[in-house]
Amino acid sequence: MSGADLEKVARALVAPAKGILAADESSGTIKKRFDSIGVESNETNRRDYREMLFTTKGAADNISGVILYDETIRQKASDGTRLVDILKKQGVIPGIKVDLGAKALAKSPEEKVTEGLDGLRERLVEYRDLGAQFAKWRAVITIGDDIPTPYCLDVNAHALARYAALCQEQGIVPIVEPEVLMDGNHTIERCYQVTCDTLHEVFDQLYEQRVEFEGMLLKPNMVLPGKENRTAPPDEVAQATIRCFKTVVPAAVPGIVFLSGGQGDEEATANLNAMNAMGPQPWQLSFSYGRALQAPALKAWKGDKANFEAGQRAYLHRARCNGAARSGDYNDAMESSSAA
Ligand code: 13P
């Protein structure tokens, strides 16, 4: 794949009215989600749940791509069709989580570094053959009294850039995800500063390691106060977030696809909407939500095939609301008029 092909896929992922579904929960994370509705996390239940989401009619109007987990990219639906083929048939682009999780950072035990570079080139070749056109790697940055340290930002940014360069070498669009966590009681100003510092370091490393900005997407947190502090109104979040990105995200990057990070689902939609309502920016501003797209669908499903349609209605509703937020056209009335 040439650089132009990478850019084509990156741009398709942030096409108007569309965003990404993050359905790449690791085995540990999906177990936590299933525990919350009292459903056992086994291979069949995980397959059924994801099949429910991926077969939702009409979702492809607002969903450009889906990030899959290693198990899911190999899985077949109940009728024997590969889940990847179900997505492709609707024009939805399959993607894959390739990091192996955030582990304790040596000599700074409160911080984390993401693992998974060893053997990554070979895994990317296999995932590409299985149908993946884009990938995701998540780094986790925690805000605390004396953290993040420059050491933590440096090693995480370095790993993100090595991953991104390997993806582009294999013709896969890298989604670069440095997540500054909402955990804590910090102010929005502190989140602003840490997010700027993090992205500054990440783009330095991406540049050093020859990553083409046109053929990648950035998946960051929004600039928010810590969740034990307060909730900020959408306009305040939107202004702080855009101000930060204008300083540190090159205009050559086609799109910014936010993570929801534990925000409420309507809150994540309203914040994205407020950013897009500020008018055109150098990059497309879109979503790559996990919890904020799935939480109501998970609750409606309850692990029972009889609830497939209710789960799909709930998922479609969130996909539509976030699709509207791509152009600043989302409003409260959408929640009451077509809610599942
Ligand atoms: P959330 O939107 O639930 O934060 O998940 C997005 C994601 O992919 C985190 O890596």
Side-chain angles (χ1 to χ4, degrees):
M1 226 197 230
S2 69
D5 291 330
L6 286 172
E7 183 169 355
K8 215 166 116 192
V9 172
R11 291 205 175 273
L13 286 167
V14 292
K18 292 190 187 185
I20 296 169
L21 166 67
D24 60 322
E25 297 84 0
S26 62
S27 308
T29 304
I30 196 78
K31 181 177 180 314
K32 264 198 260 167
R33 306 279 184 266
F34 280 15
D35 282 350
S36 74
I37 53 162
V39 172
E40 187 193 338
S41 178
N42 57 41
E43 194 179 339
T44 310
N45 284 343
R46 291 192 292 267
R47 193 275 312 274
D48 285 352
Y49 172 64
R50 285 162 172 155
E51 179 176 343
M52 174 185 83
L53 297 176
F54 302 170
T55 55
T56 300
K57 288 200 179 57
D61 293 345
N62 301 109
I63 300 294
S64 55
V66 176
I67 316 175
L68 305 167
Y69 187 58
D70 181 78
E71 175 184 270
T72 325
I73 200 170
R74 305 168 193 279
Q75 236 167 5
K76 290 183 175 144
S78 41
D79 70 356
T81 317
R82 291 181 61 222
L83 290 175
V84 166
D85 291 333
I86 288 177
L87 296 173
K88 287 208 283 201
K89 208 166 153 215
Q90 302 168 76
V92 174
I93 305 172
I96 181 76
K97 170 191 175 79
V98 300
D99 68 70
L100 299 178
K103 308 286 162 62
L105 176 60
K107 314 228 178 216
S108 186
E110 281 181 275
E111 299 189 287
K112 293 195 161 158
V113 64
T114 301
E115 296 187 347
L117 288 170
D118 289 350
L120 181 57
R121 178 180 276 128
E122 292 73 22
R123 289 196 294 127
L124 288 169
V125 170
E126 188 194 6
Y127 286 140
R128 194 187 54 210
D129 292 345
L130 287 167
Q133 294 185 57
F134 71 101
K136 176 191 116 171
W137 176 291
R138 173 174 177 254
V140 179
I141 310 298
T142 309
I143 298 182
D145 285 345
D146 301 310
I147 56 173
T149 59
Y151 159 46
C152 171
L153 298 189
D154 177 52
V155 292
N156 275 293
H158 189 266
L160 274 167
R162 281 198 58 202
Y163 140 82
L166 280 165
C167 283
Q168 291 191 338
E169 179 194 82
Q170 295 307 323
I172 290 178
V173 171
I175 294 191
V176 172
E177 181 179 5
E179 175 174 4
V180 177
L181 296 176
M182 284 169 71
D183 300 345
N185 65 357
H186 51 267
T187 61
I188 191 168
E189 289 77 19
R190 175 105 167 100
C191 179
Y192 173 88
Q193 197 53 54
V194 172
T195 304
C196 285
D197 291 348
T198 301
L199 294 177
H200 185 182
E201 186 65 37
V202 166
F203 279 99
D204 258 10
Q205 291 278 352
L206 290 167
Y207 185 82
E208 291 284 333
Q209 298 189 41
R210 308 178 181 184
V211 173
E212 292 167 44
F213 295 154
E214 293 82 356
M216 63 161 275
L217 295 173
L218 176 69
K219 176 163 173 167
N221 53 288
M222 296 179 191
V223 174
L224 303 164
K227 69 178 183 213
E228 290 141 38
N229 186 327
R230 67 182 174 101
T231 336
D235 283 348
E236 187 183 348
V237 174
Q239 276 169 28
T241 305
I242 299 289
R243 189 157 52 91
C244 167
F245 292 173
K246 278 197 167 151
T247 320
V248 283
V249 182
V253 174
I256 295 175
V257 293
F258 290 98
L259 59 95
S260 57
Q263 296 180 60
D265 32 87
E266 293 181 22
E267 181 188 1
T269 309
N271 286 340
L272 177 64
N273 189 66
M275 281 185 243
N276 280 310
M278 286 171 66
Q281 304 296 340
W283 348 260
Q284 296 294 310
L285 293 174
S286 185
F287 56 92
S288 173
Y289 292 160
R291 282 161 286 182
L293 273 169
Q294 295 184 47
L298 186 70
K299 280 200 204 104
W301 172 59
K302 299 191 196 84
D304 188 345
K305 268 199 170 163
N307 296 327
F308 250 45
E309 274 183 32
Q312 292 185 330
R313 269 200 307 278
Y315 168 55
L316 185 63
H317 176 63
R318 291 262 49 88
R320 287 202 173 134
C321 289
N322 286 301
R326 286 293 323 274
S327 48
D329 292 328
Y330 166 76
N331 54 52
D332 286 348
M334 277 190 81
E335 296 295 349
S336 38
S337 63
S338 58

